[in-house]
PDB file of all heavy atoms in Angstrom:
ATOM      1  N   SER A   1       0.829  -1.200   0.000  1.00 96.00           N
ATOM      2  CA  SER A   1       0.000   0.000   0.000  1.00 96.00           C
ATOM      3  C   SER A   1       0.870   1.259   0.000  1.00 96.00           C
ATOM      4  O   SER A   1       0.599   2.215  -0.726  1.00 96.00           O
ATOM      5  CB  SER A   1      -0.919  -0.015   1.222  1.00 96.00           C
ATOM      6  OG  SER A   1      -1.704   1.138   1.261  1.00 96.00           O
ATOM      7  N   ALA A   2       1.924   1.252   0.807  1.00 97.00           N
ATOM      8  CA  ALA A   2       2.839   2.393   0.874  1.00 97.00           C
ATOM      9  C   ALA A   2       3.543   2.604  -0.467  1.00 97.00           C
ATOM     10  O   ALA A   2       3.740   3.745  -0.903  1.00 97.00           O
ATOM     11  CB  ALA A   2       3.857   2.185   1.989  1.00 97.00           C
ATOM     12  N   TYR A   3       3.896   1.516  -1.134  1.00 97.00           N
ATOM     13  CA  TYR A   3       4.538   1.621  -2.445  1.00 97.00           C
ATOM     14  C   TYR A   3       3.610   2.286  -3.458  1.00 97.00           C
ATOM     15  O   TYR A   3       3.994   3.206  -4.170  1.00 97.00           O
ATOM     16  CB  TYR A   3       4.968   0.240  -2.947  1.00 97.00           C
ATOM     17  CG  TYR A   3       5.517   0.286  -4.345  1.00 97.00           C
ATOM     18  CD1 TYR A   3       6.794   0.772  -4.578  1.00 97.00           C
ATOM     19  CD2 TYR A   3       4.748  -0.108  -5.427  1.00 97.00           C
ATOM     20  CE1 TYR A   3       7.294   0.855  -5.864  1.00 97.00           C
ATOM     21  CE2 TYR A   3       5.241  -0.042  -6.712  1.00 97.00           C
ATOM     22  CZ  TYR A   3       6.525   0.445  -6.931  1.00 97.00           C
ATOM     23  OH  TYR A   3       7.004   0.535  -8.217  1.00 97.00           O
ATOM     24  N   TRP A   4       2.354   1.808  -3.511  1.00 95.00           N
ATOM     25  CA  TRP A   4       1.414   2.356  -4.490  1.00 95.00           C
ATOM     26  C   TRP A   4       0.959   3.767  -4.141  1.00 95.00           C
ATOM     27  O   TRP A   4       0.497   4.503  -5.011  1.00 95.00           O
ATOM     28  CB  TRP A   4       0.228   1.406  -4.684  1.00 95.00           C
ATOM     29  CG  TRP A   4       0.646   0.196  -5.455  1.00 95.00           C
ATOM     30  CD1 TRP A   4       0.834  -1.064  -4.978  1.00 95.00           C
ATOM     31  CD2 TRP A   4       0.994   0.153  -6.836  1.00 95.00           C
ATOM     32  NE1 TRP A   4       1.283  -1.888  -5.987  1.00 95.00           N
ATOM     33  CE2 TRP A   4       1.391  -1.166  -7.137  1.00 95.00           C
ATOM     34  CE3 TRP A   4       1.034   1.098  -7.851  1.00 95.00           C
ATOM     35  CZ2 TRP A   4       1.794  -1.560  -8.405  1.00 95.00           C
ATOM     36  CZ3 TRP A   4       1.433   0.701  -9.120  1.00 95.00           C
ATOM     37  CH2 TRP A   4       1.800  -0.614  -9.385  1.00 95.00           C
ATOM     38  N   LEU A   5       1.114   4.167  -2.898  1.00 95.00           N
ATOM     39  CA  LEU A   5       0.818   5.545  -2.496  1.00 95.00           C
ATOM     40  C   LEU A   5       1.954   6.485  -2.885  1.00 95.00           C
ATOM     41  O   LEU A   5       1.730   7.667  -3.106  1.00 95.00           O
ATOM     42  CB  LEU A   5       0.593   5.617  -0.984  1.00 95.00           C
ATOM     43  CG  LEU A   5       0.344   7.001  -0.398  1.00 95.00           C
ATOM     44  CD1 LEU A   5      -0.978   7.569  -0.916  1.00 95.00           C
ATOM     45  CD2 LEU A   5       0.348   6.944   1.116  1.00 95.00           C
ATOM     46  N   SER A   6       3.162   5.955  -3.007  1.00 97.00           N
ATOM     47  CA  SER A   6       4.327   6.820  -3.225  1.00 97.00           C
ATOM     48  C   SER A   6       4.960   6.588  -4.602  1.00 97.00           C
ATOM     49  O   SER A   6       4.527   7.178  -5.591  1.00 97.00           O
ATOM     50  CB  SER A   6       5.346   6.612  -2.099  1.00 97.00           C
ATOM     51  OG  SER A   6       5.779   5.255  -2.053  1.00 97.00           O
ATOM     52  N   LEU A   7       5.946   5.719  -4.681  1.00 96.00           N
ATOM     53  CA  LEU A   7       6.694   5.534  -5.922  1.00 96.00           C
ATOM     54  C   LEU A   7       5.872   4.923  -7.052  1.00 96.00           C
ATOM     55  O   LEU A   7       6.124   5.214  -8.227  1.00 96.00           O
ATOM     56  CB  LEU A   7       7.932   4.666  -5.660  1.00 96.00           C
ATOM     57  CG  LEU A   7       8.963   5.273  -4.713  1.00 96.00           C
ATOM     58  CD1 LEU A   7      10.139   4.333  -4.569  1.00 96.00           C
ATOM     59  CD2 LEU A   7       9.406   6.641  -5.168  1.00 96.00           C
ATOM     60  N   GLY A   8       4.905   4.097  -6.732  1.00 96.00           N
ATOM     61  CA  GLY A   8       4.081   3.471  -7.754  1.00 96.00           C
ATOM     62  C   GLY A   8       2.834   4.275  -8.096  1.00 96.00           C
ATOM     63  O   GLY A   8       2.016   3.831  -8.893  1.00 96.00           O
ATOM     64  N   SER A   9       2.702   5.458  -7.530  1.00 95.00           N
ATOM     65  CA  SER A   9       1.501   6.267  -7.733  1.00 95.00           C
ATOM     66  C   SER A   9       1.591   7.101  -9.010  1.00 95.00           C
ATOM     67  O   SER A   9       2.526   6.981  -9.792  1.00 95.00           O
ATOM     68  CB  SER A   9       1.293   7.205  -6.538  1.00 95.00           C
ATOM     69  OG  SER A   9       2.201   8.298  -6.615  1.00 95.00           O
ATOM     70  N   PHE A  10       0.661   7.996  -9.162  1.00 94.00           N
ATOM     71  CA  PHE A  10       0.620   8.883 -10.313  1.00 94.00           C
ATOM     72  C   PHE A  10       1.596  10.042 -10.187  1.00 94.00           C
ATOM     73  O   PHE A  10       1.789  10.802 -11.132  1.00 94.00           O
ATOM     74  CB  PHE A  10      -0.798   9.454 -10.484  1.00 94.00           C
ATOM     75  CG  PHE A  10      -1.264  10.222  -9.278  1.00 94.00           C
ATOM     76  CD1 PHE A  10      -0.932  11.548  -9.097  1.00 94.00           C
ATOM     77  CD2 PHE A  10      -2.026   9.597  -8.308  1.00 94.00           C
ATOM     78  CE1 PHE A  10      -1.340  12.242  -7.977  1.00 94.00           C
ATOM     79  CE2 PHE A  10      -2.450  10.283  -7.190  1.00 94.00           C
ATOM     80  CZ  PHE A  10      -2.096  11.617  -7.021  1.00 94.00           C
ATOM     81  N   GLY A  11       2.225  10.203  -9.030  1.00 96.00           N
ATOM     82  CA  GLY A  11       3.100  11.349  -8.795  1.00 96.00           C
ATOM     83  C   GLY A  11       4.249  11.446  -9.774  1.00 96.00           C
ATOM     84  O   GLY A  11       4.490  12.496 -10.380  1.00 96.00           O
ATOM     85  N   VAL A  12       4.980  10.362  -9.946  1.00 97.00           N
ATOM     86  CA  VAL A  12       6.138  10.374 -10.843  1.00 97.00           C
ATOM     87  C   VAL A  12       5.715  10.614 -12.295  1.00 97.00           C
ATOM     88  O   VAL A  12       6.300  11.469 -12.973  1.00 97.00           O
ATOM     89  CB  VAL A  12       6.973   9.085 -10.679  1.00 97.00           C
ATOM     90  CG1 VAL A  12       8.109   9.036 -11.685  1.00 97.00           C
ATOM     91  CG2 VAL A  12       7.520   8.985  -9.252  1.00 97.00           C
ATOM     92  N   PRO A  13       4.691   9.919 -12.822  1.00 97.00           N
ATOM     93  CA  PRO A  13       4.265  10.220 -14.194  1.00 97.00           C
ATOM     94  C   PRO A  13       3.771  11.661 -14.358  1.00 97.00           C
ATOM     95  O   PRO A  13       3.982  12.269 -15.410  1.00 97.00           O
ATOM     96  CB  PRO A  13       3.140   9.216 -14.465  1.00 97.00           C
ATOM     97  CG  PRO A  13       3.407   8.094 -13.534  1.00 97.00           C
ATOM     98  CD  PRO A  13       4.006   8.719 -12.309  1.00 97.00           C
ATOM     99  N   LEU A  14       3.137  12.223 -13.328  1.00 97.00           N
ATOM    100  CA  LEU A  14       2.707  13.622 -13.435  1.00 97.00           C
ATOM    101  C   LEU A  14       3.903  14.556 -13.563  1.00 97.00           C
ATOM    102  O   LEU A  14       3.853  15.523 -14.328  1.00 97.00           O
ATOM    103  CB  LEU A  14       1.873  14.032 -12.220  1.00 97.00           C
ATOM    104  CG  LEU A  14       0.393  13.749 -12.291  1.00 97.00           C
ATOM    105  CD1 LEU A  14      -0.313  14.227 -11.022  1.00 97.00           C
ATOM    106  CD2 LEU A  14      -0.249  14.384 -13.502  1.00 97.00           C
ATOM    107  N   VAL A  15       4.957  14.281 -12.824  1.00 98.00           N
ATOM    108  CA  VAL A  15       6.171  15.095 -12.952  1.00 98.00           C
ATOM    109  C   VAL A  15       6.681  15.010 -14.393  1.00 98.00           C
ATOM    110  O   VAL A  15       7.036  16.033 -14.999  1.00 98.00           O
ATOM    111  CB  VAL A  15       7.254  14.650 -11.943  1.00 98.00           C
ATOM    112  CG1 VAL A  15       8.586  15.333 -12.232  1.00 98.00           C
ATOM    113  CG2 VAL A  15       6.811  14.938 -10.509  1.00 98.00           C
ATOM    114  N   MET A  16       6.681  13.813 -14.971  1.00 98.00           N
ATOM    115  CA  MET A  16       7.143  13.648 -16.355  1.00 98.00           C
ATOM    116  C   MET A  16       6.244  14.412 -17.332  1.00 98.00           C
ATOM    117  O   MET A  16       6.738  15.052 -18.260  1.00 98.00           O
ATOM    118  CB  MET A  16       7.213  12.169 -16.734  1.00 98.00           C
ATOM    119  CG  MET A  16       8.324  11.438 -16.015  1.00 98.00           C
ATOM    120  SD  MET A  16       8.637   9.747 -16.576  1.00 98.00           S
ATOM    121  CE  MET A  16       7.029   9.046 -16.783  1.00 98.00           C
ATOM    122  N   VAL A  17       4.943  14.347 -17.129  1.00 97.00           N
ATOM    123  CA  VAL A  17       4.016  15.078 -18.010  1.00 97.00           C
ATOM    124  C   VAL A  17       4.252  16.579 -17.883  1.00 97.00           C
ATOM    125  O   VAL A  17       4.337  17.298 -18.883  1.00 97.00           O
ATOM    126  CB  VAL A  17       2.540  14.728 -17.686  1.00 97.00           C
ATOM    127  CG1 VAL A  17       1.579  15.673 -18.378  1.00 97.00           C
ATOM    128  CG2 VAL A  17       2.243  13.292 -18.081  1.00 97.00           C
ATOM    129  N   GLY A  18       4.364  17.063 -16.646  1.00 98.00           N
ATOM    130  CA  GLY A  18       4.606  18.490 -16.432  1.00 98.00           C
ATOM    131  C   GLY A  18       5.914  18.952 -17.057  1.00 98.00           C
ATOM    132  O   GLY A  18       5.975  20.007 -17.693  1.00 98.00           O
ATOM    133  N   LEU A  19       6.976  18.165 -16.876  1.00 98.00           N
ATOM    134  CA  LEU A  19       8.262  18.528 -17.473  1.00 98.00           C
ATOM    135  C   LEU A  19       8.201  18.485 -19.002  1.00 98.00           C
ATOM    136  O   LEU A  19       8.829  19.311 -19.678  1.00 98.00           O
ATOM    137  CB  LEU A  19       9.368  17.598 -16.958  1.00 98.00           C
ATOM    138  CG  LEU A  19       9.747  17.797 -15.487  1.00 98.00           C
ATOM    139  CD1 LEU A  19      10.752  16.728 -15.052  1.00 98.00           C
ATOM    140  CD2 LEU A  19      10.292  19.196 -15.225  1.00 98.00           C
ATOM    141  N   THR A  20       7.422  17.567 -19.552  1.00 98.00           N
ATOM    142  CA  THR A  20       7.246  17.508 -21.006  1.00 98.00           C
ATOM    143  C   THR A  20       6.514  18.745 -21.510  1.00 98.00           C
ATOM    144  O   THR A  20       6.889  19.333 -22.537  1.00 98.00           O
ATOM    145  CB  THR A  20       6.489  16.221 -21.414  1.00 98.00           C
ATOM    146  OG1 THR A  20       7.234  15.093 -20.960  1.00 98.00           O
ATOM    147  CG2 THR A  20       6.287  16.149 -22.913  1.00 98.00           C
ATOM    148  N   VAL A  21       5.483  19.166 -20.788  1.00 97.00           N
ATOM    149  CA  VAL A  21       4.756  20.385 -21.149  1.00 97.00           C
ATOM    150  C   VAL A  21       5.704  21.586 -21.131  1.00 97.00           C
ATOM    151  O   VAL A  21       5.707  22.416 -22.053  1.00 97.00           O
ATOM    152  CB  VAL A  21       3.551  20.607 -20.201  1.00 97.00           C
ATOM    153  CG1 VAL A  21       2.978  22.004 -20.334  1.00 97.00           C
ATOM    154  CG2 VAL A  21       2.474  19.554 -20.459  1.00 97.00           C
ATOM    155  N   LEU A  22       6.531  21.683 -20.089  1.00 98.00           N
ATOM    156  CA  LEU A  22       7.497  22.785 -20.006  1.00 98.00           C
ATOM    157  C   LEU A  22       8.537  22.710 -21.126  1.00 98.00           C
ATOM    158  O   LEU A  22       8.905  23.738 -21.715  1.00 98.00           O
ATOM    159  CB  LEU A  22       8.184  22.773 -18.639  1.00 98.00           C
ATOM    160  CG  LEU A  22       7.293  23.123 -17.457  1.00 98.00           C
ATOM    161  CD1 LEU A  22       8.009  22.832 -16.144  1.00 98.00           C
ATOM    162  CD2 LEU A  22       6.844  24.572 -17.520  1.00 98.00           C
ATOM    163  N   TRP A  23       9.001  21.518 -21.427  1.00 98.00           N
ATOM    164  CA  TRP A  23       9.979  21.318 -22.501  1.00 98.00           C
ATOM    165  C   TRP A  23       9.394  21.769 -23.840  1.00 98.00           C
ATOM    166  O   TRP A  23      10.045  22.465 -24.614  1.00 98.00           O
ATOM    167  CB  TRP A  23      10.376  19.840 -22.545  1.00 98.00           C
ATOM    168  CG  TRP A  23      11.453  19.500 -23.527  1.00 98.00           C
ATOM    169  CD1 TRP A  23      12.793  19.536 -23.314  1.00 98.00           C
ATOM    170  CD2 TRP A  23      11.266  19.055 -24.878  1.00 98.00           C
ATOM    171  NE1 TRP A  23      13.453  19.132 -24.451  1.00 98.00           N
ATOM    172  CE2 TRP A  23      12.538  18.837 -25.421  1.00 98.00           C
ATOM    173  CE3 TRP A  23      10.144  18.821 -25.669  1.00 98.00           C
ATOM    174  CZ2 TRP A  23      12.732  18.395 -26.723  1.00 98.00           C
ATOM    175  CZ3 TRP A  23      10.333  18.382 -26.972  1.00 98.00           C
ATOM    176  CH2 TRP A  23      11.606  18.177 -27.483  1.00 98.00           C
ATOM    177  N   LEU A  24       8.160  21.355 -24.111  1.00 97.00           N
ATOM    178  CA  LEU A  24       7.493  21.761 -25.352  1.00 97.00           C
ATOM    179  C   LEU A  24       7.331  23.279 -25.407  1.00 97.00           C
ATOM    180  O   LEU A  24       7.615  23.912 -26.431  1.00 97.00           O
ATOM    181  CB  LEU A  24       6.128  21.079 -25.469  1.00 97.00           C
ATOM    182  CG  LEU A  24       6.133  19.577 -25.720  1.00 97.00           C
ATOM    183  CD1 LEU A  24       4.744  18.987 -25.497  1.00 97.00           C
ATOM    184  CD2 LEU A  24       6.634  19.270 -27.121  1.00 97.00           C
ATOM    185  N   ASP A  25       6.881  23.855 -24.295  1.00 96.00           N
ATOM    186  CA  ASP A  25       6.651  25.301 -24.254  1.00 96.00           C
ATOM    187  C   ASP A  25       7.942  26.077 -24.514  1.00 96.00           C
ATOM    188  O   ASP A  25       7.936  27.066 -25.244  1.00 96.00           O
ATOM    189  CB  ASP A  25       6.048  25.681 -22.899  1.00 96.00           C
ATOM    190  CG  ASP A  25       5.710  27.152 -22.827  1.00 96.00           C
ATOM    191  OD1 ASP A  25       4.851  27.602 -23.629  1.00 96.00           O
ATOM    192  OD2 ASP A  25       6.311  27.863 -21.985  1.00 96.00           O
ATOM    193  N   ARG A  26       9.046  25.633 -23.918  1.00 97.00           N
ATOM    194  CA  ARG A  26      10.337  26.314 -24.119  1.00 97.00           C
ATOM    195  C   ARG A  26      10.768  26.291 -25.583  1.00 97.00           C
ATOM    196  O   ARG A  26      11.540  27.142 -26.013  1.00 97.00           O
ATOM    197  CB  ARG A  26      11.425  25.680 -23.256  1.00 97.00           C
ATOM    198  CG  ARG A  26      11.530  26.338 -21.899  1.00 97.00           C
ATOM    199  CD  ARG A  26      12.724  25.824 -21.112  1.00 97.00           C
ATOM    200  NE  ARG A  26      12.194  25.042 -19.997  1.00 97.00           N
ATOM    201  CZ  ARG A  26      12.352  23.759 -19.806  1.00 97.00           C
ATOM    202  NH1 ARG A  26      13.078  23.048 -20.611  1.00 97.00           N
ATOM    203  NH2 ARG A  26      11.807  23.147 -18.783  1.00 97.00           N
ATOM    204  N   ARG A  27      10.307  25.332 -26.326  1.00 97.00           N
ATOM    205  CA  ARG A  27      10.670  25.219 -27.732  1.00 97.00           C
ATOM    206  C   ARG A  27       9.609  25.815 -28.657  1.00 97.00           C
ATOM    207  O   ARG A  27       9.673  25.676 -29.873  1.00 97.00           O
ATOM    208  CB  ARG A  27      10.928  23.753 -28.082  1.00 97.00           C
ATOM    209  CG  ARG A  27      12.264  23.299 -27.532  1.00 97.00           C
ATOM    210  CD  ARG A  27      12.344  21.835 -27.285  1.00 97.00           C
ATOM    211  NE  ARG A  27      13.640  21.468 -26.736  1.00 97.00           N
ATOM    212  CZ  ARG A  27      14.013  21.670 -25.465  1.00 97.00           C
ATOM    213  NH1 ARG A  27      13.185  22.253 -24.621  1.00 97.00           N
ATOM    214  NH2 ARG A  27      15.202  21.305 -25.035  1.00 97.00           N
ATOM    215  N   GLY A  28       8.606  26.449 -28.070  1.00 94.00           N
ATOM    216  CA  GLY A  28       7.553  27.073 -28.865  1.00 94.00           C
ATOM    217  C   GLY A  28       6.570  26.087 -29.456  1.00 94.00           C
ATOM    218  O   GLY A  28       5.868  26.406 -30.415  1.00 94.00           O
ATOM    219  N   ILE A  29       6.509  24.890 -28.884  1.00 95.00           N
ATOM    220  CA  ILE A  29       5.601  23.855 -29.376  1.00 95.00           C
ATOM    221  C   ILE A  29       4.405  23.794 -28.432  1.00 95.00           C
ATOM    222  O   ILE A  29       4.574  23.657 -27.216  1.00 95.00           O
ATOM    223  CB  ILE A  29       6.292  22.478 -29.424  1.00 95.00           C
ATOM    224  CG1 ILE A  29       7.538  22.536 -30.298  1.00 95.00           C
ATOM    225  CG2 ILE A  29       5.322  21.399 -29.896  1.00 95.00           C
ATOM    226  CD1 ILE A  29       8.442  21.311 -30.170  1.00 95.00           C
ATOM    227  N   THR A  30       3.224  23.899 -28.966  1.00 95.00           N
ATOM    228  CA  THR A  30       2.014  23.812 -28.151  1.00 95.00           C
ATOM    229  C   THR A  30       1.741  22.352 -27.814  1.00 95.00           C
ATOM    230  O   THR A  30       1.661  21.512 -28.713  1.00 95.00           O
ATOM    231  CB  THR A  30       0.804  24.390 -28.914  1.00 95.00           C
ATOM    232  OG1 THR A  30       1.107  25.727 -29.299  1.00 95.00           O
ATOM    233  CG2 THR A  30      -0.443  24.367 -28.054  1.00 95.00           C
ATOM    234  N   PRO A  31       1.596  22.044 -26.518  1.00 95.00           N
ATOM    235  CA  PRO A  31       1.285  20.661 -26.142  1.00 95.00           C
ATOM    236  C   PRO A  31      -0.050  20.227 -26.748  1.00 95.00           C
ATOM    237  O   PRO A  31      -0.974  21.037 -26.865  1.00 95.00           O
ATOM    238  CB  PRO A  31       1.185  20.709 -24.613  1.00 95.00           C
ATOM    239  CG  PRO A  31       1.934  21.930 -24.215  1.00 95.00           C
ATOM    240  CD  PRO A  31       1.755  22.899 -25.352  1.00 95.00           C
ATOM    241  N   PRO A  32      -0.161  18.972 -27.136  1.00 94.00           N
ATOM    242  CA  PRO A  32      -1.425  18.511 -27.720  1.00 94.00           C
ATOM    243  C   PRO A  32      -2.558  18.611 -26.697  1.00 94.00           C
ATOM    244  O   PRO A  32      -2.355  18.367 -25.505  1.00 94.00           O
ATOM    245  CB  PRO A  32      -1.144  17.058 -28.106  1.00 94.00           C
ATOM    246  CG  PRO A  32       0.073  16.665 -27.353  1.00 94.00           C
ATOM    247  CD  PRO A  32       0.833  17.906 -27.039  1.00 94.00           C
ATOM    248  N   SER A  33      -3.729  18.968 -27.178  1.00 93.00           N
ATOM    249  CA  SER A  33      -4.864  19.186 -26.275  1.00 93.00           C
ATOM    250  C   SER A  33      -5.314  17.905 -25.570  1.00 93.00           C
ATOM    251  O   SER A  33      -5.944  17.975 -24.516  1.00 93.00           O
ATOM    252  CB  SER A  33      -6.031  19.822 -27.017  1.00 93.00           C
ATOM    253  OG  SER A  33      -6.469  18.994 -28.061  1.00 93.00           O
ATOM    254  N   PHE A  34      -4.961  16.725 -26.119  1.00 95.00           N
ATOM    255  CA  PHE A  34      -5.379  15.495 -25.445  1.00 95.00           C
ATOM    256  C   PHE A  34      -4.766  15.386 -24.050  1.00 95.00           C
ATOM    257  O   PHE A  34      -5.357  14.764 -23.166  1.00 95.00           O
ATOM    258  CB  PHE A  34      -5.083  14.244 -26.283  1.00 95.00           C
ATOM    259  CG  PHE A  34      -3.633  13.903 -26.452  1.00 95.00           C
ATOM    260  CD1 PHE A  34      -2.932  13.234 -25.441  1.00 95.00           C
ATOM    261  CD2 PHE A  34      -2.970  14.224 -27.624  1.00 95.00           C
ATOM    262  CE1 PHE A  34      -1.593  12.908 -25.601  1.00 95.00           C
ATOM    263  CE2 PHE A  34      -1.635  13.898 -27.800  1.00 95.00           C
ATOM    264  CZ  PHE A  34      -0.945  13.251 -26.774  1.00 95.00           C
ATOM    265  N   ILE A  35      -3.604  16.000 -23.830  1.00 96.00           N
ATOM    266  CA  ILE A  35      -3.013  15.990 -22.489  1.00 96.00           C
ATOM    267  C   ILE A  35      -3.951  16.698 -21.520  1.00 96.00           C
ATOM    268  O   ILE A  35      -4.244  16.189 -20.435  1.00 96.00           O
ATOM    269  CB  ILE A  35      -1.621  16.643 -22.488  1.00 96.00           C
ATOM    270  CG1 ILE A  35      -0.626  15.795 -23.281  1.00 96.00           C
ATOM    271  CG2 ILE A  35      -1.123  16.849 -21.053  1.00 96.00           C
ATOM    272  CD1 ILE A  35       0.748  16.428 -23.441  1.00 96.00           C
ATOM    273  N   ALA A  36      -4.442  17.861 -21.915  1.00 96.00           N
ATOM    274  CA  ALA A  36      -5.350  18.623 -21.056  1.00 96.00           C
ATOM    275  C   ALA A  36      -6.669  17.891 -20.850  1.00 96.00           C
ATOM    276  O   ALA A  36      -7.197  17.849 -19.728  1.00 96.00           O
ATOM    277  CB  ALA A  36      -5.605  20.000 -21.654  1.00 96.00           C
ATOM    278  N   TRP A  37      -7.208  17.313 -21.914  1.00 96.00           N
ATOM    279  CA  TRP A  37      -8.498  16.618 -21.796  1.00 96.00           C
ATOM    280  C   TRP A  37      -8.396  15.383 -20.898  1.00 96.00           C
ATOM    281  O   TRP A  37      -9.257  15.142 -20.053  1.00 96.00           O
ATOM    282  CB  TRP A  37      -9.038  16.231 -23.171  1.00 96.00           C
ATOM    283  CG  TRP A  37      -9.598  17.409 -23.902  1.00 96.00           C
ATOM    284  CD1 TRP A  37      -9.078  18.011 -25.001  1.00 96.00           C
ATOM    285  CD2 TRP A  37     -10.766  18.153 -23.553  1.00 96.00           C
ATOM    286  NE1 TRP A  37      -9.844  19.081 -25.369  1.00 96.00           N
ATOM    287  CE2 TRP A  37     -10.898  19.195 -24.504  1.00 96.00           C
ATOM    288  CE3 TRP A  37     -11.712  18.056 -22.547  1.00 96.00           C
ATOM    289  CZ2 TRP A  37     -11.936  20.115 -24.466  1.00 96.00           C
ATOM    290  CZ3 TRP A  37     -12.753  18.976 -22.507  1.00 96.00           C
ATOM    291  CH2 TRP A  37     -12.855  19.979 -23.452  1.00 96.00           C
ATOM    292  N   ILE A  38      -7.349  14.603 -21.076  1.00 96.00           N
ATOM    293  CA  ILE A  38      -7.188  13.406 -20.246  1.00 96.00           C
ATOM    294  C   ILE A  38      -6.922  13.796 -18.799  1.00 96.00           C
ATOM    295  O   ILE A  38      -7.502  13.223 -17.873  1.00 96.00           O
ATOM    296  CB  ILE A  38      -6.072  12.494 -20.810  1.00 96.00           C
ATOM    297  CG1 ILE A  38      -6.520  11.901 -22.148  1.00 96.00           C
ATOM    298  CG2 ILE A  38      -5.710  11.390 -19.813  1.00 96.00           C
ATOM    299  CD1 ILE A  38      -5.421  11.186 -22.907  1.00 96.00           C
ATOM    300  N   LEU A  39      -6.057  14.784 -18.586  1.00 96.00           N
ATOM    301  CA  LEU A  39      -5.778  15.258 -17.233  1.00 96.00           C
ATOM    302  C   LEU A  39      -7.052  15.793 -16.579  1.00 96.00           C
ATOM    303  O   LEU A  39      -7.342  15.497 -15.418  1.00 96.00           O
ATOM    304  CB  LEU A  39      -4.701  16.344 -17.258  1.00 96.00           C
ATOM    305  CG  LEU A  39      -4.279  16.925 -15.921  1.00 96.00           C
ATOM    306  CD1 LEU A  39      -3.644  15.867 -15.039  1.00 96.00           C
ATOM    307  CD2 LEU A  39      -3.316  18.092 -16.139  1.00 96.00           C
ATOM    308  N   GLY A  40      -7.838  16.547 -17.323  1.00 96.00           N
ATOM    309  CA  GLY A  40      -9.096  17.086 -16.795  1.00 96.00           C
ATOM    310  C   GLY A  40     -10.098  15.997 -16.453  1.00 96.00           C
ATOM    311  O   GLY A  40     -10.712  16.020 -15.384  1.00 96.00           O
ATOM    312  N   LEU A  41     -10.270  15.034 -17.335  1.00 96.00           N
ATOM    313  CA  LEU A  41     -11.203  13.933 -17.088  1.00 96.00           C
ATOM    314  C   LEU A  41     -10.775  13.115 -15.872  1.00 96.00           C
ATOM    315  O   LEU A  41     -11.585  12.804 -14.999  1.00 96.00           O
ATOM    316  CB  LEU A  41     -11.312  13.024 -18.315  1.00 96.00           C
ATOM    317  CG  LEU A  41     -12.187  11.779 -18.161  1.00 96.00           C
ATOM    318  CD1 LEU A  41     -13.635  12.174 -17.897  1.00 96.00           C
ATOM    319  CD2 LEU A  41     -12.081  10.915 -19.406  1.00 96.00           C
ATOM    320  N   TRP A  42      -9.506  12.793 -15.813  1.00 94.00           N
ATOM    321  CA  TRP A  42      -8.972  12.024 -14.686  1.00 94.00           C
ATOM    322  C   TRP A  42      -9.156  12.797 -13.373  1.00 94.00           C
ATOM    323  O   TRP A  42      -9.510  12.218 -12.349  1.00 94.00           O
ATOM    324  CB  TRP A  42      -7.503  11.725 -14.963  1.00 94.00           C
ATOM    325  CG  TRP A  42      -6.782  11.003 -13.881  1.00 94.00           C
ATOM    326  CD1 TRP A  42      -7.127   9.800 -13.316  1.00 94.00           C
ATOM    327  CD2 TRP A  42      -5.601  11.424 -13.229  1.00 94.00           C
ATOM    328  NE1 TRP A  42      -6.198   9.462 -12.353  1.00 94.00           N
ATOM    329  CE2 TRP A  42      -5.254  10.445 -12.288  1.00 94.00           C
ATOM    330  CE3 TRP A  42      -4.773  12.537 -13.363  1.00 94.00           C
ATOM    331  CZ2 TRP A  42      -4.133  10.550 -11.479  1.00 94.00           C
ATOM    332  CZ3 TRP A  42      -3.660  12.640 -12.566  1.00 94.00           C
ATOM    333  CH2 TRP A  42      -3.362  11.655 -11.630  1.00 94.00           C
ATOM    334  N   THR A  43      -8.956  14.099 -13.419  1.00 95.00           N
ATOM    335  CA  THR A  43      -9.115  14.940 -12.234  1.00 95.00           C
ATOM    336  C   THR A  43     -10.564  14.981 -11.776  1.00 95.00           C
ATOM    337  O   THR A  43     -10.846  14.931 -10.569  1.00 95.00           O
ATOM    338  CB  THR A  43      -8.599  16.358 -12.528  1.00 95.00           C
ATOM    339  OG1 THR A  43      -7.227  16.272 -12.912  1.00 95.00           O
ATOM    340  CG2 THR A  43      -8.715  17.249 -11.317  1.00 95.00           C
TER     341      THR A  43
END
C-alpha cells in the first residue's frame, strides 16, 4: 500500500508530463490538447 501511495503512484508520471509540457513550451511547441483533456477527465 505504501509503495502504491508513493513511488508506484501517479506522482512520478505527473512530474514527467509536467516537465514535457514545459519542454514543449520552451521550444515554442504547443502541447497537444489530449493531455489537457485526459488530465481534466482524470481529475
Side-chain angles (χ1 to χ4, degrees):
S1 179
Y3 175 76
W4 287 106
L5 177 66
S6 60
L7 296 181
S9 76
F10 59 84
V12 175
L14 273 181
V15 170
M16 290 189 317
V17 168
L19 290 174
T20 301
V21 167
L22 292 170
W23 185 88
L24 290 167
D25 183 62
R26 270 187 249 115
R27 285 155 181 76
I29 303 168
T30 304
S33 60
F34 69 80
I35 293 175
W37 284 110
I38 292 170
L39 181 63
L41 176 63
W42 177 56
T43 301

